[in-house]
Amino acid sequence: MVAVLLAVGYFVVALVLHAVWCRAAQRPSTVVKFVAAGGLVGLVLLGHLLATEGPTHRTLAGLLVFALASELYIFSFTLIISSVSAIWLRRLYRGSIETDALAEAYSPSWMVETRLSRLVENGFLARDGDGYRLTEKGRGLIGTFGRLRAIFKHERRAHELR
Amino acid sequence: MAAHLVLYFAVLRHLPTFRAERTIFLYHALSAIGVSLVVVASLFVPGSGADLTWAIVVIALHGIYSTTFLEVWSLADGGYSLQILEHLERADRRGEEPDPEALRAIGVAKQGDRLAGLASIGLVQQEAGRTALTPAGRAVASCFALLAWLTNVQDGV
């Protein structure tokens, strides 16, 4: 159990480092910052566990708990950034709002603009005059997810664009 | 876990019902619950050789496997940003200007019955034209607010 408690402690350290980095600089993206900070802390945890527990199943348990906590954390913060429902819940946390005003404030146009800005920030799109153009990174992403869609046998949804 | 994955790729992914989010979630949730129960129960079987650390290893491994699978499955199903990229790519390939109305249409579809959905699972309540959080919604939203504070999210919410 010591290994698991150590993993929890190191995860808290990774959270603190990530929070500080997110306040200190805008770039790179929030996910990349956590992967870097969490990866570094994970390596230190590995060294600590090997020194105290040796190459045993207790070391493995500690590393897996750290990895699971990190993955759930990344999933959670990407959810609050990108999910419309999560964004609405965060807005309502500040107080109730007229239903029409809520739908208007977080309109489809706002959603599109927010996504476009984020895609530019992350290098998938580049501004081109009044519009946008795909970067090589963006084309690569489309190709990757096209292959994944074929693997998972996803069907096109009715609202998807022609 | 290996059998779970092989069964999905060899058989289940070809079934229409396994293209639904709810089915794929249940496929993983039931497996995770089942494996966890078996592992915990084995701790109480004399001579099984299982200990708490091994139980944690198995449960954490399943957690990582299922979370990763569901994230990739869901992203491949067509996130909003991905649909925007695909629309721009299609327009570029055809030598057309991207259609802002078509982009907005994705937003309308995504926004759809979101509010009704949140109300149906008891997170928000609507009264006299106003929307507010329920106590359960406040608990969830406070976790989201903490995450937003930790990651210093600046999106104007």
Side-chain angles (χ1 to χ4, degrees):
Chain A
M1 283 307 286
V2 174
V4 173
L5 291 175
L6 263 179
V8 173
Y10 272 87
F11 176 68
V12 172
V13 171
L15 282 190
V16 171
L17 285 177
H18 185 235
V20 170
W21 194 357
C22 285
R23 280 159 179 74
Q26 281 208 316
R27 289 185 161 276
S29 74
T30 317
V31 174
V32 173
K33 281 175 193 156
F34 188 78
V35 170
L40 189 66
V41 172
L43 282 176
V44 178
L45 171 65
L46 172 63
H48 192 156
L49 286 171
L50 284 174
T52 56
E53 303 284 349
T56 62
H57 69 304
R58 290 184 295 278
T59 294
L60 180 63
L63 285 178
L64 287 174
V65 166
F66 181 84
L68 178 60
S70 299
E71 181 163 21
L72 290 175
Y73 179 61
I74 291 173
F75 170 78
S76 303
F77 74 68
T78 51
L79 177 80
I80 63 138
I81 292 170
S82 60
S83 158
V84 176
S85 301
I87 288 170
W88 281 3
L89 288 175
R90 281 168 48 218
R91 166 60 190 85
L92 289 167
Y93 187 65
R94 294 194 348 239
S96 69
I97 185 172
E98 285 185 19
T99 304
D100 290 345
L102 183 66
E104 198 173 312
Y106 303 105
S107 65
S109 298
W110 175 82
M111 288 164 64
V112 171
E113 284 306 318
T114 307
R115 295 303 196 288
L116 287 171
S117 301
R118 202 161 289 142
L119 288 166
V120 170
E121 275 172 28
N122 291 312
F124 297 112
L125 287 180
R127 291 195 191 279
D128 186 12
D130 290 340
Y132 298 90
R133 66 174 167 76
L134 272 174
T135 61
E136 280 309 307
K137 192 176 170 185
R139 286 183 201 283
L141 189 75
I142 291 173
T144 301
F145 280 102
R147 285 188 289 277
L148 282 173
R149 186 179 289 137
I151 289 170
F152 289 121
K153 304 278 181 197
H154 284 314
E155 287 172 336
R156 292 260 162 193
R157 291 176 175 171
H159 64 258
E160 281 189 85
L161 301 168
R162 300 283 171 265
Chain B
M1 268 175 273
H4 188 264
L5 188 65
V6 168
L7 179 65
Y8 172 78
F9 280 110
V11 181
L12 301 177
R13 71 180 173 133
H14 301 287
L15 304 178
T17 184
F18 273 82
R19 290 171 199 161
E21 203 169 51
R22 181 182 161 79
T23 312
I24 206 78
F25 175 77
L26 282 175
Y27 180 59
H28 278 268
L30 292 177
S31 169
I33 292 168
V35 166
S36 300
L37 286 176
V38 168
V39 166
V40 170
S42 70
L43 295 176
F44 299 98
V45 177
S48 70
D51 67 16
L52 186 59
T53 309
W54 272 120
I56 291 170
V57 166
V58 173
I59 293 170
L61 259 181
H62 202 304
I64 291 168
Y65 157 63
S66 288
T67 310
T68 306
F69 184 99
L70 291 171
E71 277 184 67
V72 175
W73 187 94
S74 173
L75 280 170
D77 196 26
Y80 195 178
S81 299
L82 194 60
Q83 288 183 42
I84 290 173
L85 285 177
E86 286 174 340
H87 174 72
L88 294 173
E89 192 265 340
R90 255 190 308 274
D92 184 44
R93 197 165 7 100
R94 293 171 182 166
E96 300 167 353
E97 284 296 307
D99 178 7
E101 279 307 308
L103 288 176
R104 274 167 40 84
I106 314 173
V108 172
K110 290 271 176 192
Q111 201 174 36
D113 294 324
R114 244 8 116 86
L115 210 50
L118 289 173
S120 73
I121 56 172
L123 295 182
V124 303
Q125 55 193 2
Q126 293 168 284
E127 270 184 26
R130 291 188 77 79
T131 302
L133 292 172
T134 61
R138 180 152 288 276
V140 173
S142 64
C143 294
F144 287 173
L146 174 64
L147 281 166
W149 178 80
L150 274 174
T151 52
N152 199 31
V153 173
Q154 313 250 332
D155 54 12
V157 171

Coordinates of all heavy atoms in Angstrom, one line a residue, chain B residues 56-104:
Chain B
I56 N -5.2 -4.2 -7.0 CA -5.0 -2.8 -7.5 C -4.4 -2.8 -8.9 O -4.9 -2.1 -9.8 CB -4.2 -2.0 -6.5 CG1 -5.0 -1.8 -5.2 CG2 -3.8 -0.7 -7.1 CD1 -4.2 -1.2 -4.1
V57 N -3.5 -3.7 -9.2 CA -2.8 -3.8 -10.5 C -3.9 -4.1 -11.6 O -4.0 -3.5 -12.6 CB -1.7 -4.9 -10.5 CG1 -1.3 -5.2 -11.9 CG2 -0.5 -4.4 -9.7
V58 N -4.7 -5.1 -11.3 CA -5.7 -5.6 -12.3 C -6.7 -4.5 -12.5 O -7.1 -4.2 -13.7 CB -6.3 -6.9 -11.8 CG1 -7.5 -7.3 -12.7 CG2 -5.3 -8.0 -11.7
I59 N -7.3 -3.9 -11.4 CA -8.3 -2.9 -11.6 C -7.8 -1.7 -12.3 O -8.4 -1.1 -13.2 CB -8.9 -2.5 -10.2 CG1 -9.7 -3.8 -9.7 CG2 -9.9 -1.3 -10.3 CD1 -10.1 -3.6 -8.2
A60 N -6.5 -1.2 -12.0 CA -6.0 -0.1 -12.6 C -5.7 -0.3 -14.1 O -5.9 0.5 -15.0 CB -4.7 0.3 -11.9
L61 N -5.2 -1.6 -14.4 CA -5.0 -1.9 -15.8 C -6.3 -1.8 -16.6 O -6.3 -1.3 -17.7 CB -4.4 -3.3 -15.9 CG -2.9 -3.5 -16.1 CD1 -2.6 -5.0 -16.2 CD2 -2.5 -2.8 -17.4
H62 N -7.3 -2.4 -16.0 CA -8.6 -2.4 -16.7 C -9.1 -0.9 -16.9 O -9.6 -0.6 -18.0 CB -9.7 -3.2 -16.0 CG -10.8 -3.6 -16.9 ND1 -11.6 -2.8 -17.6 CD2 -11.3 -4.9 -17.2 CE1 -12.5 -3.4 -18.3 NE2 -12.3 -4.7 -18.1
G63 N -8.9 -0.1 -15.9 CA -9.3 1.3 -15.9 C -8.6 2.0 -17.1 O -9.2 2.8 -17.9
I64 N -7.3 1.8 -17.2 CA -6.5 2.4 -18.3 C -6.9 1.9 -19.6 O -7.1 2.7 -20.6 CB -5.0 2.1 -18.1 CG1 -4.5 2.9 -16.8 CG2 -4.2 2.6 -19.3 CD1 -3.1 2.5 -16.4
Y65 N -7.1 0.6 -19.7 CA -7.6 0.0 -21.0 C -8.9 0.6 -21.5 O -9.1 1.1 -22.6 CB -7.6 -1.5 -20.9 CG -8.5 -2.2 -21.8 CD1 -8.3 -2.2 -23.2 CD2 -9.6 -2.9 -21.3 CE1 -9.1 -2.8 -24.1 CE2 -10.5 -3.6 -22.2 CZ -10.2 -3.5 -23.6 OH -11.1 -4.2 -24.4
S66 N -9.9 0.6 -20.5 CA -11.2 1.0 -20.9 C -11.3 2.5 -21.2 O -12.0 3.0 -22.1 CB -12.2 0.6 -19.8 OG -12.4 -0.7 -19.8
T67 N -10.6 3.3 -20.4 CA -10.7 4.8 -20.6 C -10.0 5.1 -21.9 O -10.6 5.9 -22.7 CB -9.9 5.5 -19.4 OG1 -10.4 5.0 -18.2 CG2 -10.1 7.0 -19.5
T68 N -8.9 4.5 -22.2 CA -8.2 4.8 -23.5 C -9.1 4.3 -24.7 O -9.3 5.1 -25.6 CB -6.9 4.0 -23.6 OG1 -6.1 4.3 -22.4 CG2 -6.1 4.3 -24.8
F69 N -9.7 3.2 -24.6 CA -10.5 2.7 -25.7 C -11.7 3.6 -25.9 O -12.0 4.0 -27.0 CB -11.0 1.3 -25.3 CG -11.8 0.6 -26.4 CD1 -11.2 -0.3 -27.3 CD2 -13.1 0.9 -26.6 CE1 -11.9 -0.9 -28.3 CE2 -13.9 0.4 -27.7 CZ -13.3 -0.5 -28.5
L70 N -12.4 4.0 -24.8 CA -13.6 4.8 -25.0 C -13.2 6.2 -25.5 O -14.0 6.8 -26.3 CB -14.3 4.9 -23.6 CG -15.0 3.6 -23.2 CD1 -15.5 3.7 -21.7 CD2 -16.1 3.2 -24.1
E71 N -12.1 6.7 -25.1 CA -11.7 8.1 -25.6 C -11.4 8.0 -27.1 O -11.9 8.9 -27.8 CB -10.4 8.5 -24.9 CG -10.7 9.2 -23.5 CD -9.5 9.7 -22.9 OE1 -8.9 10.7 -23.4 OE2 -9.0 9.2 -21.9
V72 N -10.7 7.0 -27.5 CA -10.3 6.9 -28.9 C -11.6 6.6 -29.7 O -11.8 7.2 -30.8 CB -9.3 5.8 -29.2 CG1 -9.0 5.6 -30.6 CG2 -8.0 6.2 -28.5
W73 N -12.4 5.7 -29.2 CA -13.7 5.4 -29.9 C -14.6 6.6 -30.1 O -15.1 6.9 -31.2 CB -14.4 4.3 -29.1 CG -15.7 3.8 -29.8 CD1 -15.7 2.6 -30.6 CD2 -17.0 4.3 -29.8 NE1 -17.0 2.4 -31.0 CE2 -17.8 3.4 -30.6 CE3 -17.6 5.4 -29.2 CZ2 -19.1 3.7 -30.8 CZ3 -18.9 5.7 -29.5 CH2 -19.7 4.8 -30.2
S74 N -14.7 7.4 -29.0 CA -15.5 8.6 -29.1 C -15.0 9.7 -30.0 O -15.7 10.3 -30.7 CB -15.6 9.1 -27.6 OG -16.3 10.3 -27.6
L75 N -13.6 9.9 -30.0 CA -13.0 10.9 -30.8 C -13.2 10.5 -32.3 O -13.5 11.3 -33.1 CB -11.5 11.0 -30.5 CG -11.2 11.8 -29.3 CD1 -9.7 11.7 -29.0 CD2 -11.5 13.3 -29.6
A76 N -13.0 9.2 -32.6 CA -13.2 8.7 -34.0 C -14.6 8.8 -34.5 O -14.9 8.9 -35.7 CB -12.7 7.3 -34.1
D77 N -15.6 8.9 -33.5 CA -17.0 9.0 -33.9 C -17.3 10.3 -34.4 O -18.4 10.6 -34.9 CB -17.8 8.7 -32.6 CG -19.3 8.4 -33.0 OD1 -19.5 7.9 -34.1 OD2 -20.1 8.6 -32.1
G78 N -16.4 11.3 -34.3 CA -16.6 12.6 -34.9 C -16.8 13.7 -33.9 O -17.9 14.2 -33.7
G79 N -15.7 14.1 -33.3 CA -15.8 15.3 -32.4 C -16.1 16.5 -33.2 O -16.0 16.5 -34.5
Y80 N -16.6 17.6 -32.6 CA -17.0 18.8 -33.2 C -15.8 19.4 -34.0 O -15.9 19.7 -35.2 CB -17.4 19.8 -32.2 CG -18.2 21.0 -32.6 CD1 -18.7 21.9 -31.7 CD2 -18.4 21.2 -34.0 CE1 -19.4 23.0 -32.1 CE2 -19.1 22.3 -34.4 CZ -19.6 23.2 -33.5 OH -20.3 24.3 -33.8
S81 N -14.6 19.5 -33.4 CA -13.4 20.0 -34.0 C -13.1 19.2 -35.3 O -12.7 19.8 -36.3 CB -12.3 20.1 -33.1 OG -12.6 20.9 -32.0
L82 N -13.1 17.9 -35.1 CA -12.8 17.0 -36.3 C -13.7 17.3 -37.4 O -13.3 17.3 -38.6 CB -12.8 15.6 -35.8 CG -12.2 14.6 -36.7 CD1 -10.7 14.8 -36.9 CD2 -12.4 13.2 -36.1
Q83 N -15.0 17.4 -37.1 CA -16.0 17.7 -38.2 C -15.7 19.0 -38.9 O -15.9 19.1 -40.1 CB -17.4 17.7 -37.7 CG -17.9 16.3 -37.3 CD -19.3 16.3 -36.8 OE1 -20.1 16.9 -37.3 NE2 -19.5 15.5 -35.7
I84 N -15.3 20.0 -38.1 CA -14.9 21.3 -38.7 C -13.7 21.1 -39.7 O -13.7 21.6 -40.8 CB -14.6 22.4 -37.6 CG1 -15.9 22.7 -36.9 CG2 -14.0 23.6 -38.2 CD1 -15.7 23.6 -35.7
L85 N -12.7 20.4 -39.2 CA -11.5 20.2 -40.0 C -11.9 19.5 -41.3 O -11.4 19.8 -42.4 CB -10.5 19.3 -39.2 CG -9.7 20.0 -38.2 CD1 -8.8 19.0 -37.5 CD2 -8.9 21.2 -38.7
E86 N -12.8 18.4 -41.2 CA -13.2 17.7 -42.4 C -13.9 18.5 -43.4 O -13.7 18.4 -44.6 CB -14.0 16.5 -41.9 CG -13.2 15.4 -41.3 CD -14.1 14.3 -40.7 OE1 -15.3 14.5 -40.5 OE2 -13.5 13.2 -40.5
H87 N -14.7 19.4 -42.8 CA -15.5 20.3 -43.7 C -14.5 21.2 -44.5 O -14.7 21.4 -45.7 CB -16.5 21.2 -42.9 CG -17.2 22.2 -43.7 ND1 -18.1 21.9 -44.7 CD2 -17.0 23.6 -43.8 CE1 -18.5 23.0 -45.3 NE2 -17.9 24.0 -44.8
L88 N -13.5 21.8 -43.8 CA -12.6 22.7 -44.4 C -11.7 21.9 -45.5 O -11.4 22.4 -46.5 CB -11.6 23.3 -43.4 CG -12.3 24.3 -42.4 CD1 -11.4 24.7 -41.3 CD2 -12.9 25.5 -43.2
E89 N -11.4 20.7 -45.1 CA -10.6 19.8 -46.1 C -11.4 19.5 -47.3 O -10.9 19.6 -48.4 CB -10.2 18.5 -45.3 CG -9.2 17.7 -46.1 CD -9.8 16.6 -46.9 OE1 -10.9 16.3 -46.7 OE2 -9.1 16.2 -47.9
R90 N -12.7 19.2 -47.1 CA -13.6 18.9 -48.3 C -13.7 20.2 -49.2 O -13.6 20.1 -50.4 CB -15.0 18.5 -47.8 CG -15.2 17.0 -48.0 CD -16.7 16.7 -47.7 NE -17.2 17.2 -46.5 CZ -17.1 16.6 -45.3 NH1 -16.5 15.4 -45.2 NH2 -17.6 17.1 -44.2
A91 N -13.9 21.3 -48.6 CA -14.1 22.6 -49.3 C -12.8 22.9 -50.1 O -12.9 23.2 -51.3 CB -14.4 23.7 -48.4
D92 N -11.7 22.6 -49.4 CA -10.4 22.9 -50.1 C -10.2 22.0 -51.3 O -9.7 22.4 -52.3 CB -9.3 22.7 -49.0 CG -7.9 23.0 -49.6 OD1 -7.8 24.1 -50.2 OD2 -7.0 22.2 -49.4
R93 N -10.5 20.7 -51.1 CA -10.4 19.7 -52.1 C -11.2 20.0 -53.4 O -10.8 19.8 -54.5 CB -10.7 18.3 -51.6 CG -10.2 17.2 -52.4 CD -10.3 15.8 -51.7 NE -10.9 15.7 -50.4 CZ -12.2 15.3 -50.2 NH1 -12.9 15.0 -51.2 NH2 -12.7 15.2 -49.0
R94 N -12.4 20.6 -53.1 CA -13.3 20.9 -54.2 C -13.1 22.3 -54.8 O -13.8 22.8 -55.7 CB -14.8 20.9 -53.7 CG -15.2 19.5 -53.4 CD -16.6 19.5 -52.7 NE -17.0 18.2 -52.3 CZ -18.0 17.9 -51.4 NH1 -18.7 19.0 -50.9 NH2 -18.3 16.7 -51.1
G95 N -12.1 23.0 -54.1 CA -11.8 24.4 -54.6 C -12.9 25.4 -54.3 O -13.1 26.4 -54.9
E96 N -13.7 25.1 -53.2 CA -14.8 26.0 -52.8 C -14.4 26.7 -51.5 O -13.5 26.3 -50.8 CB -16.1 25.1 -52.5 CG -16.5 24.3 -53.7 CD -17.6 23.3 -53.3 OE1 -17.8 23.1 -52.1 OE2 -18.2 22.7 -54.2
E97 N -15.2 27.8 -51.2 CA -15.1 28.5 -50.0 C -15.8 27.7 -48.9 O -16.9 27.2 -49.2 CB -15.7 29.9 -50.1 CG -14.8 30.9 -50.8 CD -13.5 31.1 -50.1 OE1 -13.5 31.5 -48.9 OE2 -12.4 31.0 -50.8
P98 N -15.3 27.6 -47.7 CA -16.0 26.9 -46.6 C -17.4 27.6 -46.4 O -17.4 28.8 -46.4 CB -15.1 27.0 -45.4 CG -13.8 27.3 -45.9 CD -14.0 28.0 -47.2
D99 N -18.4 26.8 -46.1 CA -19.7 27.4 -45.9 C -20.0 27.6 -44.4 O -20.1 26.7 -43.6 CB -20.7 26.4 -46.4 CG -22.2 26.8 -46.2 OD1 -22.3 28.0 -45.8 OD2 -23.1 26.0 -46.5
P100 N -20.0 28.9 -44.0 CA -20.2 29.2 -42.5 C -21.5 28.6 -42.0 O -21.6 28.1 -40.9 CB -20.2 30.7 -42.4 CG -19.7 31.2 -43.7 CD -19.9 30.1 -44.7
E101 N -22.5 28.6 -42.8 CA -23.8 28.0 -42.4 C -23.7 26.5 -42.1 O -24.3 26.0 -41.1 CB -24.9 28.3 -43.4 CG -25.5 29.6 -43.4 CD -26.0 30.0 -42.0 OE1 -26.8 29.2 -41.4 OE2 -25.6 31.1 -41.5
A102 N -22.9 25.8 -42.9 CA -22.8 24.4 -42.7 C -22.0 24.1 -41.4 O -22.3 23.2 -40.6 CB -22.0 23.8 -43.9
L103 N -21.0 25.0 -41.1 CA -20.3 24.9 -39.9 C -21.2 25.1 -38.7 O -21.2 24.4 -37.7 CB -19.1 25.9 -39.8 CG -17.9 25.6 -40.7 CD1 -16.9 26.8 -40.7 CD2 -17.3 24.3 -40.3
R104 N -22.1 26.1 -38.8 CA -23.0 26.4 -37.7 C -24.0 25.3 -37.5 O -24.4 25.0 -36.4 CB -23.8 27.7 -38.0 CG -23.1 29.0 -37.6 CD -23.7 30.2 -38.2 NE -25.2 30.1 -38.2 CZ -26.0 30.4 -37.2 NH1 -25.4 30.9 -36.0 NH2 -27.3 30.4 -37.2

